[in-house]
Amino acid sequence: MSVTRLTPQREFDIVLIVNGAARRLTVDARTTLLDALRDRLHLAGTKKGCDLGHCGACTVLVQGRRINACLTLAVAHQGEPITTIEGLADGADGLHALQAAFIEHDGFQCGYCTPGQIVSAVGLIAEGRAGSDDEIREHMSGNLCRCGAYPNILAAIRQAAREAA
Amino acid sequence: MVPFAYAAAPSADAAIAHVARRRGAEFIAGGTDMLQLLQEGVRVPAELVDINRLPLDGIEVDTDAVRIGATARMSDVADHPRIRAEYPAVAEALLLSASPQVRNMASIGGNLLQRTRCVYFRDVVTPCNKRAPGSGCSALDGENRLHAILGASPHCIATYAGDLAVALVVLDANVVINGPEGARTLPVEALHRVPGDAPEVETVLEPGDLITAVLIPASAHARRSHYLKVRDRASFEFALVSAAVALDIDAAVIRQARVAVGGVGTKPWRLPAVEHALVGHRVDDELFHAAAARAADGAEPRRHNAFKVELLKRTVERALRTVGSRS
């Protein structure tokens, strides 16, 4: 049986589509999507918390679905549309509805988890999983807040989900 | 992470041929477990072959069976209307696993092959026979509250941590494996190994073997199946104890019974003594209590995990009652 041979490489010239713009960069095979966004493209809104997929601070949307940017390699996402916290704002006042709701409900204390919370909530609402408080709590379980701002995070998401409905 | 080389697989055959031939080459799919292990230095592959762009992500349901492609994502399988209706234990096990972000990334094949959550396995500075064969088992007399009470050996007491595989065992599911010698199918129940004296060998897969699909036959007991997970926190946590139950009930009599448990065994652990106590009997809470009393037969608890013996029986009983009361 003859099959195409693979030639694994350690370095790649790639194009990432981030917040609608094609960004060209050279990455080591090991570079996580999170490190590519933060350290190479200087989009530091996406946070690095645990770097092991446990905290959700690094949540971004890839092809519209929320994922942990720390648990995936940048080289694996060439050509796929990626949305970070910096790319969410679409409103006339310069804020996404969830960003405005987090401010209105004081959905944070230190703010470190907030970009991940907001991007994750965008994914949650798109999934149709924001139907009740219990459902929001369950399906936001991938985002931890060490300040314990959960009641206000919940209130912000509840309001944004109602507005989106 | 130590340096490695990466390639996206142009075809399954090319990926299989490469990984079979090259020492230190591994497949990567969703990567959610692999990236954690790379970050921690637990896995140090020379090469990673990415199978995500291969056409292996289909979910095909017909009247006899469902075929779930190996790179289908956990979230897509969990949300599939016919899987929820006809194989509820599968959808429930997946929705109770990990977080929404991880479920959007993780593949079905990779989920089955996830590595143990034993803290000593994941901490490279401690002895661990699974990670460094012959170095010893730190859990035997260490922190072993989360460890196995069934199927352990003097060399390893780490649990198999997954949920999906436990549900698949009670649904008589098979994995389709493509390897250097061609394709074969294998019951999910036969995929994982107990540790014995070689805890580093966790499955029967050979180098280059790639899980390409999971096949689940349709059945009356699959329709009446359930997955119950008991854990330290309400969400995004591995099981202390879990139970998958599938019953075929006709005129209030149990015709077929499948029971398997997670969080307590070194592999997905089927409970034939419980099944035997159920078959042929009328559905009844006393029957469920008596059958569940057999759930921990042969259990060998360690210093911190003896609570799992009673918790296991109660978890099985509650799962049986839930299924028994479903119309």
Side-chain angles (χ1 to χ4, degrees):
Chain A
M1 184 172 59
S2 92
V3 291
T4 321
R5 286 204 167 235
L6 275 80
T7 45
Q9 301 165 228
R10 287 200 176 178
E11 201 173 85
F12 292 85
D13 295 318
I14 64 170
V15 176
L16 296 179
I17 314 293
V18 184
N19 300 327
R23 308 289 298 268
R24 214 168 273 284
L25 64 166
T26 302
V27 293
D28 187 284
R30 290 171 290 175
T31 308
T32 62
L33 179 58
L34 176 60
D35 286 344
L37 291 169
R38 286 180 56 83
D39 299 341
R40 307 298 307 286
L41 300 179
H42 308 297
L43 291 166
T46 306
K47 300 304 182 205
K48 181 183 280 191
C50 66
D51 217 12
L52 290 170
H54 302 163
C55 76
C58 67
T59 304
V60 299
L61 304 176
V62 174
Q63 304 188 93
R65 291 157 65 108
R66 49 181 168 157
I67 70 163
N68 299 113
C70 74
L71 287 187
T72 194
L73 300 173
V75 66
H77 294 285
Q78 298 183 66
E80 297 174 352
I82 298 161
T83 304
T84 70
I85 188 73
E86 291 91 344
L88 279 188
D90 53 2
D93 56 357
L95 291 177
H96 184 277
L98 269 160
Q99 292 172 314
F102 267 67
I103 293 170
E104 184 179 338
H105 290 276
D106 199 17
F108 38 73
Q109 182 171 310
C110 83
Y112 196 80
C113 73
T114 309
Q117 299 277 1
I118 289 175
V119 175
S120 187
V122 172
L124 168 88
I125 292 169
E127 291 160 16
R129 294 278 193 192
S132 69
D133 287 0
D134 280 349
E135 194 176 35
I136 293 170
R137 283 193 196 95
E138 168 63 28
H139 290 274
M140 287 297 291
S141 67
N143 292 85
L144 303 185
C145 170
R146 287 194 58 178
C147 304
Y150 295 111
N152 296 1
I153 292 170
L154 175 65
I157 295 172
R158 185 199 298 132
Q159 175 181 310
R162 278 205 200 113
E163 288 168 6
Chain B
M1 283 185 239
V2 300
F4 57 78
Y6 167 98
S11 69
D13 285 347
I16 290 163
H18 187 89
V19 172
R21 191 175 63 236
R22 301 271 288 202
R23 196 181 166 87
E26 308 238 25
F27 299 111
I28 183 169
T32 54
D33 195 30
M34 177 68 86
L35 263 286
Q36 292 179 58
L37 296 165
L38 293 172
Q39 292 279 26
E40 303 275 46
V42 176
R43 292 180 86 161
V44 287
E47 297 177 340
L48 289 179
V49 176
D50 185 342
I51 62 163
N52 283 297
R53 299 210 178 190
L54 299 180
L56 295 174
D57 62 345
I59 304 171
E60 297 157 33
V61 190
D62 66 31
T63 51
D64 309 331
V66 56
R67 179 189 177 94
I68 303 170
T71 60
R73 305 298 144 171
M74 291 171 73
S75 51
D76 294 326
V77 179
D79 287 344
H80 195 287
R82 288 193 62 186
I83 290 177
R84 291 164 60 134
E86 295 166 40
Y87 310 89
V90 169
E92 291 167 356
L94 288 168
L95 269 181
L96 293 169
S97 298
S99 69
Q101 290 95 319
V102 170
R103 293 196 294 269
N104 278 341
M105 309 172 77
S107 72
I108 291 300
N111 179 280
L112 298 179
L113 299 180
Q114 67 183 282
R115 310 297 297 274
T116 183
R117 304 308 298 189
C118 175
V119 292
Y120 302 107
F121 172 73
R122 286 176 186 258
D123 177 0
V124 294
V125 304
T126 57
C128 168
N129 287 323
K130 191 184 277 297
R131 171 172 37 75
S135 61
C137 174
S138 301
L140 276 179
D141 296 307
E143 276 292 330
N144 50 36
R145 177 174 175 272
L146 302 176
H147 287 74
I149 56 172
L150 292 162
S153 81
H155 305 281
C156 182
I157 59 171
T159 56
Y160 174 76
D163 297 299
L164 174 64
V166 179
L168 291 177
V169 163
V170 301
L171 303 186
D172 314 308
N174 286 277
V175 284
V176 181
I177 299 163
N178 283 50
E181 311 299 325
R184 65 189 192 276
T185 62
L186 180 78
V188 172
E189 197 177 349
L191 176 63
H192 298 92
R193 292 176 75 259
V194 292
D197 59 6
E200 74 280 12
V201 185
E202 296 182 337
T203 71
V204 299
L205 298 180
E206 299 288 337
D209 278 349
L210 177 66
I211 295 176
T212 52
V214 171
L215 302 174
I216 319 175
S219 68
H221 59 276
R223 277 189 168 271
R224 200 190 288 261
S225 64
H226 175 51
Y227 190 77
L228 173 63
K229 184 172 180 179
V230 178
R231 43 192 167 169
D232 279 335
R233 56 182 183 185
S235 186
F236 198 8
E237 184 56 276
F238 291 90
L240 292 170
V241 177
S242 67
V245 169
L247 300 179
D248 176 6
I249 302 173
D250 183 25
V253 174
I254 298 171
R255 303 292 177 193
Q256 292 263 10
R258 304 272 191 281
V259 181
V261 289
V264 288
T266 52
K267 56 174 277 184
W269 205 262
R270 190 151 169 198
L271 297 176
V274 176
E275 295 173 2
H276 185 73
L278 293 167
V279 173
H281 296 279
R282 291 186 69 81
V283 170
D284 173 77
D285 283 352
E286 279 179 34
L287 171 72
F288 291 151
H289 181 78
R294 305 291 308 276
D297 284 6
E300 293 182 281
R302 307 293 302 183
R303 184 173 176 199
H304 303 119
N305 65 4
F307 75 99
K308 286 188 176 181
V309 173
E310 183 62 24
L311 189 59
L312 172 57
K313 296 178 197 172
R314 294 186 188 192
T315 304
V316 170
E317 182 174 346
R318 197 172 118 200
L320 287 169
R321 284 177 185 240
T322 300
V323 175
S325 64
R326 277 188 191 165
S327 56

